[in-house]
Amino acid sequence: MIDYPRHNKDGWQRWVPSWRLVSGLCIAFFGCLVGAAGLAYAMVSVPVIDESATAQNNVYYWADNTQMVATGGDRNRQSVNLSQIPKAMRNAVISQENKTFYSDSGIDPKGIARAVFNMAKGGDTQGGSTITQQYVKNAMLNDQSQTISRKVKEIFVSIKVGAEEPKDKILEGYLNSAYYGRGAYGIQAAARAYFNVDAVDLNPGQCAFLSAVLKGATYYDPAGSVSIDPTGATPEANKKRALAQMQDTLNKMVEYGHLSQTDRAKYTELPATQNPQSNAKLGGQIGYLVRLAKSSVLKSGKVSEQQLEKGGYSIYTTFDKKKVDEMEKAVQKVYKEKIDPKKRPKTDTHVQFGGASIDTRTGAIKAIYGGQDATKHFTNNADVTGAQVGSTFKPFVLSAAMKWGVRDPDLGPVQAQDERTIVSPKSLYSGKNKLKINNYDGSIWENEDGEQWRQENDGQDSIGDPPDYKIDLREAMRQSVNSAYVQLGMDVGLDKVKEAAVDAGLLEDSLTGSSFPSFSLGISDPSAIRMAGAYATFAESGKQREPYSVTKVTNKNGTIYTHKVEEKQAFTAKVSDNVTDVLKTVVEKGTGTNAQLPGREVAGKTGTTDGNKSAWFVGYTPQLSTAISMYRYPDDESIKNRTFLEMYGTGGEKQIHGASFPSTIWQDYMSDAVKGMKVEKFPKPEPIGEVVNDAPSPTPTPSPSPSASETEETTPSPTPSPSDTGTSPSPPGPTETCDFWDVNCDDGNDGGNGDGGTGPGGSEGSESPSPSASETEGDGGNNGNSRGNSILGPNG
């Protein structure tokens, strides 16, 4: 039957197959393919959407493996008939996703070929799906993997569904099974989740919007998903994407004859959507904890958002129930005893706190305070902020000075980067108020408009002994002297200060541009989680570990994700231990005395921003690092151009400092949180660096510091300083040359916008503000309006 090698040929011709053999083999091959395809087609069945969509719970566990909460069992799904689905919704989906839906066979050969090619390259396996295929995929809940075998199975089922099921039934099934975000499966649940109307009442604009959300709610839900993608899924970015997609869909509906141009013209803006609604079981702090853990699971890449929504996972977290309760109790105590919106409506409304507590040895997040109730206040204040951190940023300036050193003023900019002097905490800097800030080479700093910078201290006080007001860096940290640390940052280089902050654990996208001297004063807005994590790096002698909230995830197939603690040496032990030793002074006899824990060593720093719009305390023991923030920010999203509000008079206080409510909450929480922990001491620091600027006078005796009962510095008047209001000083007088330490010399040039520049920012009460938005590079919304950065990063 098979004449090969060919019997009637000689030599090489004997091995050349005949055309009959080649033809026969090709026919046999294609016959086998057809037979296999026919067999596969006969073996698959049409899925039943409602039977296959059985919901399961996701169960979240506390750190001790006891159950925290089960979510997902009450699946938000309600099927409706096609007659209850507006034609506009059907046409929107068809126009955008599958314009040949009513004429194709259920598959798109070109799209499939494209998807197979992508898989062959090792790329994304998504793509090439018709509405029929998507309907089939939604129905096959037992296998959502993206493999070639599953894709082949999907194709055969889609062909069979396309051949046996009416197109209207397929479309109905797809719209009833698709995931629209916010836990909503199906068009009816989606209509309620976004617009609180029944599906039948949706207008064409709303339909076009929902068809856009089908592309992925993470990036199209106007509420944003910053906990999943801090920079790419902000409310602003999502709204922009959703509007563009919605408009494209409406245009295609007009193009394909599904919508008149007159009707289309009515929908040029994004339809108004309601805030996401939370499960009642997720009230209080539980909702914030679940959201934080969920974002960590999704960032692991082991589970998709849609898979997680379908349930069946056990999620083991790092959260300590006792510590969570203790932190909430400490915050609520301040609310109850000090914050009274009825008595002081102008000063005590919109008061918010955020908090996070992290195990210094592992990076495990033990507790957070996200807000008063996750079902009412949606933003997690521990993970998403916008509140500037103020002088809690100064330790990063000091660590940069001890890691890289200050530049030699006698060298050029290139050589100075390499030849540096490591700084000792005994180094001397001027504590003069309204200090004129210099570049590292001694020249006066000027912005691009030729405006100079004079740095203010809190209370307008010069710290140190006249006439030169020299003060060492330990004392400057203890009294939170701005002028000294702003000049130190300039001598080191603000790029190095920024690098130190990132090395410690802050996310770079939470930091403002580092082109202005005020960068050293904490005009950036990292979250409480990230600040606690960064200070934990100092506690651990320079070992940096990413904050995380999930230890492992399991399902019926076993463990699918386990967190691995990884560490890097951000700073040497010598640098970090010296930073800790300086911060101990702050708590022992400086602005942080309210945070003392009897019998335990504590290191920490207070922070208060210009305009009194936020206050912080971040501190740590050898085992636990905790950050507490306080600010006023309206919850009401209907308020346009929301901004952070001043806290003059809040809680009956003339002014809010980090040394007031934040440090009080910190001490109250930590007193309970460290109970049962071994009493440990911080490592003794080794001497480091050289004493910079020690000539011509010895270490000065600092001016008397406030007592422990006093606030951080002398409380200024609630009236904003000229720099707050943007007023300009008197015109400059005659110019004369002054030496850096010659504080009695006045060249008469206050420069540009005068003391500290213009705009919000700065730290510690009346500290100098940051430049205006137009002057700052990469400002990132740090003029007090931003709530956009999720700080957790890749590991949640």
Side-chain angles (χ1 to χ4, degrees), residues 398 401-402 405-406 421-425 427 429 473 488 492 688-692:
L398 181 60
M402 292 192 292
V406 295
T421 301
I422 300 301
V423 173
S424 164
S427 297
Y429 273 82
L473 293 176
L488 176 63
V492 174
I688 189 172
E690 300 180 21
V691 179
V692 177

Side-chain angles (χ1 to χ4, degrees), residues 427-447:
S427 297
L428 305 177
Y429 273 82
S430 176
K432 180 187 177 185
N433 183 51
K434 295 187 179 181
L435 177 69
K436 185 171 291 185
I437 299 303
N438 291 349
N439 293 306
Y440 83 92
D441 60 4
S443 63
I444 297 173
W445 183 89
E446 294 181 347
N447 66 13

Side-chain angles (χ1 to χ4, degrees), residues 529-584:
I529 289 174
R530 281 289 166 176
M531 286 299 290
Y535 272 47
T537 300
F538 297 133
E540 275 293 284
S541 296
K543 298 181 180 67
Q544 191 271 330
R545 303 176 182 93
E546 285 293 296
Y548 71 101
S549 58
V550 173
T551 57
K552 68 176 180 178
V553 180
T554 65
N555 64 6
K556 64 181 181 180
N557 297 320
T559 300
I560 59 175
Y561 168 72
T562 302
H563 177 78
K564 295 180 180 179
V565 176
E566 297 179 354
E567 67 180 46
K568 64 180 181 181
Q569 195 71 38
F571 309 105
T572 63
K574 186 182 290 189
V575 169
S576 292
D577 293 346
N578 272 278
V579 171
T580 293
D581 195 57
V582 170
L583 295 182
K584 280 176 59 182

Side-chain angles (χ1 to χ4, degrees), residues 4-311:
Y4 191 84
R6 299 169 70 179
H7 72 283
N8 59 346
K9 300 292 183 180
D10 296 321
W12 63 270
Q13 292 180 332
R14 195 164 178 247
W15 301 97
V16 177
S18 66
W19 66 269
R20 293 184 183 86
L21 180 59
V22 173
S23 300
L25 289 174
C26 288
I27 292 172
F29 176 74
F30 285 111
C32 289
L33 283 181
V34 172
L39 180 62
Y41 180 83
M43 291 179 66
V44 298
S45 60
V46 175
V48 180
I49 189 68
D50 289 331
E51 290 181 0
S52 59
T54 302
Q56 300 181 67
N57 284 327
N58 287 323
V59 182
Y60 292 82
Y61 294 90
W62 294 104
D64 62 1
N65 291 338
T66 59
Q67 183 172 318
M68 179 197 306
V69 67
T71 67
D74 50 347
R75 178 67 61 228
N76 187 12
R77 183 202 300 276
Q78 182 180 357
S79 297
V80 292
N81 295 326
L82 190 66
S83 60
Q84 296 174 282
I85 302 174
K87 287 186 178 180
M89 186 65 205
R90 303 177 229 169
N91 291 331
V93 172
I94 291 171
S95 298
Q96 186 59 251
E97 298 187 26
N98 188 185
K99 66 179 181 179
T100 62
F101 169 71
Y102 277 103
S103 60
D104 64 34
S105 62
I107 61 171
D108 176 10
K110 291 183 179 179
I112 292 171
R114 185 167 56 251
V116 171
F117 180 70
N118 288 338
M119 284 189 282
K121 293 193 304 179
D124 188 2
T125 58
Q126 299 284 350
S129 294
T130 62
I131 287 176
T132 304
Q133 285 177 265
Q134 292 179 64
Y135 163 62
V136 167
K137 183 175 66 175
N138 292 340
M140 296 165 61
L141 301 185
N142 61 329
D143 185 6
Q144 288 293 312
S145 61
Q146 291 296 322
T147 61
I148 292 179
S149 62
R150 198 212 63 82
K151 197 73 177 177
V152 170
K153 183 178 180 181
E154 175 191 301
I155 290 171
F156 281 111
V157 174
S158 298
I159 294 173
K160 192 159 193 174
V161 169
E164 297 185 6
E165 296 291 334
K167 289 291 186 177
D168 281 350
K169 185 175 180 181
I170 294 172
L171 185 59
E172 175 188 302
Y174 169 61
L175 293 175
N176 275 321
S177 62
Y179 180 60
Y180 297 79
R182 301 191 178 187
Y185 285 83
I187 185 62
Q188 173 65 17
R192 282 293 173 186
Y194 287 94
F195 306 112
N196 197 28
V197 299
D198 289 326
V200 70
D201 296 322
L202 293 170
N203 64 45
Q206 293 169 330
C207 292
F209 164 78
L210 289 177
S211 74
V213 172
L214 284 173
K215 295 179 69 67
T218 296
Y219 294 100
Y220 289 89
D221 186 341
S225 300
V226 291
S227 61
I228 299 175
D229 187 343
T231 58
T234 63
E236 294 76 17
N238 281 17
K239 288 175 183 178
K240 184 177 180 180
R241 263 190 298 269
L243 179 60
Q245 185 71 15
M246 169 188 162
Q247 296 302 309
D248 181 64
T249 298
L250 290 169
N251 290 338
K252 287 181 178 178
M253 290 171 70
V254 173
E255 180 183 350
Y256 303 144
H258 299 313
L259 187 67
S260 70
Q261 187 62 55
T262 302
D263 287 339
R264 188 260 175 273
K266 298 176 183 177
Y267 308 105
T268 57
E269 301 293 335
L270 206 60
T273 58
Q274 63 182 3
N275 289 334
Q277 302 298 307
S278 299
N279 189 319
K281 292 185 292 185
L282 303 181
Q285 298 307 301
I286 298 297
Y288 302 119
L289 298 171
V290 167
R291 241 179 271 158
L292 196 61
K294 177 181 176 181
S295 68
S296 182
V297 173
L298 296 178
K299 287 170 188 172
S300 73
K302 302 298 183 181
V303 184
S304 71
E305 184 177 12
Q306 189 167 352
Q307 288 172 322
L308 194 62
E309 286 291 343
K310 290 169 182 174

Side-chain angles (χ1 to χ4, degrees), residues 35 100 343 389 409 428 454 470 535 774-775 786:
T100 62
K343 183 178 180 181
V389 296
L428 305 177
R454 284 185 181 273
K470 282 186 178 181
Y535 272 47
S774 62
E775 296 172 340
S786 171

Side-chain angles (χ1 to χ4, degrees), residues 270-551:
L270 206 60
T273 58
Q274 63 182 3
N275 289 334
Q277 302 298 307
S278 299
N279 189 319
K281 292 185 292 185
L282 303 181
Q285 298 307 301
I286 298 297
Y288 302 119
L289 298 171
V290 167
R291 241 179 271 158
L292 196 61
K294 177 181 176 181
S295 68
S296 182
V297 173
L298 296 178
K299 287 170 188 172
S300 73
K302 302 298 183 181
V303 184
S304 71
E305 184 177 12
Q306 189 167 352
Q307 288 172 322
L308 194 62
E309 286 291 343
K310 290 169 182 174
Y313 296 93
S314 295
I315 299 163
Y316 296 84
T317 75
T318 60
F319 307 131
D320 184 315
K321 186 179 188 304
K322 184 179 178 182
K323 288 182 173 59
V324 171
D325 291 342
E326 287 164 348
M327 183 173 286
E328 183 177 29
K329 180 181 176 181
V331 174
Q332 292 302 324
K333 181 178 179 182
V334 170
Y335 270 123
K336 183 178 180 180
E337 296 180 359
K338 298 293 185 179
I339 309 302
D340 192 341
K342 293 182 179 179
K343 183 178 180 181
R344 294 180 291 269
K346 292 184 178 180
T347 61
D348 284 20
T349 55
H350 311 305
V351 175
Q352 297 187 30
F353 294 92
S357 193
I358 289 178
D359 184 333
T360 61
R361 307 283 160 80
T362 64
I365 302 172
K366 307 307 292 183
I368 64 168
Y369 181 84
Q372 288 189 286
D373 191 327
T375 63
K376 299 174 182 177
H377 173 69
F378 190 70
T379 301
N380 185 345
N381 293 345
D383 189 33
V384 180
T385 177
Q388 298 173 356
V389 296
S391 285
T392 58
F393 200 79
K394 286 175 182 172
F396 305 123
V397 183
L398 181 60
S399 62
M402 292 192 292
K403 179 176 182 177
W404 287 286
V406 295
R407 293 167 288 183
D408 188 334
D410 297 325
L411 300 179
V414 176
Q415 190 177 2
Q417 288 291 341
D418 298 324
E419 299 185 27
R420 292 169 171 265
T421 301
I422 300 301
V423 173
S424 164
K426 297 180 181 179
S427 297
L428 305 177
Y429 273 82
S430 176
K432 180 187 177 185
N433 183 51
K434 295 187 179 181
L435 177 69
K436 185 171 291 185
I437 299 303
N438 291 349
N439 293 306
Y440 83 92
D441 60 4
S443 63
I444 297 173
W445 183 89
E446 294 181 347
N447 66 13
E448 57 187 13
D449 296 324
E451 298 167 337
Q452 298 174 6
W453 189 275
R454 284 185 181 273
Q455 184 57 56
E456 297 177 358
N457 290 327
D458 188 31
Q460 309 294 310
D461 294 328
S462 292
I463 309 297
D465 288 338
D468 53 17
Y469 292 99
K470 282 186 178 181
I471 186 173
D472 68 38
L473 293 176
R474 180 185 296 273
E475 186 67 12
M477 185 74 78
R478 184 180 81 83
Q479 297 199 57
S480 204
V481 181
N482 298 329
S483 53
Y485 273 91
V486 169
Q487 187 58 60
L488 176 63
M490 297 298 290
D491 291 352
V492 174
L494 297 181
D495 59 329
K496 295 299 185 185
V497 174
K498 187 172 187 176
E499 188 174 339
V502 173
D503 287 345
L506 301 188
L507 295 182
E508 188 169 359
D509 57 26
S510 72
L511 304 178
T512 63
S514 56
S515 297
F516 288 81
S518 59
F519 179 75
S520 295
L521 295 181
I523 60 174
S524 300
D525 59 1
S527 73
I529 289 174
R530 281 289 166 176
M531 286 299 290
Y535 272 47
T537 300
F538 297 133
E540 275 293 284
S541 296
K543 298 181 180 67
Q544 191 271 330
R545 303 176 182 93
E546 285 293 296
Y548 71 101
S549 58
V550 173
T551 57

Side-chain angles (χ1 to χ4, degrees), residues 737-749:
T737 303
C738 300
D739 293 333
F740 179 75
W741 295 111
D742 191 356
V743 297
N744 293 318
C745 174
D746 187 0
D747 64 5
N749 186 5

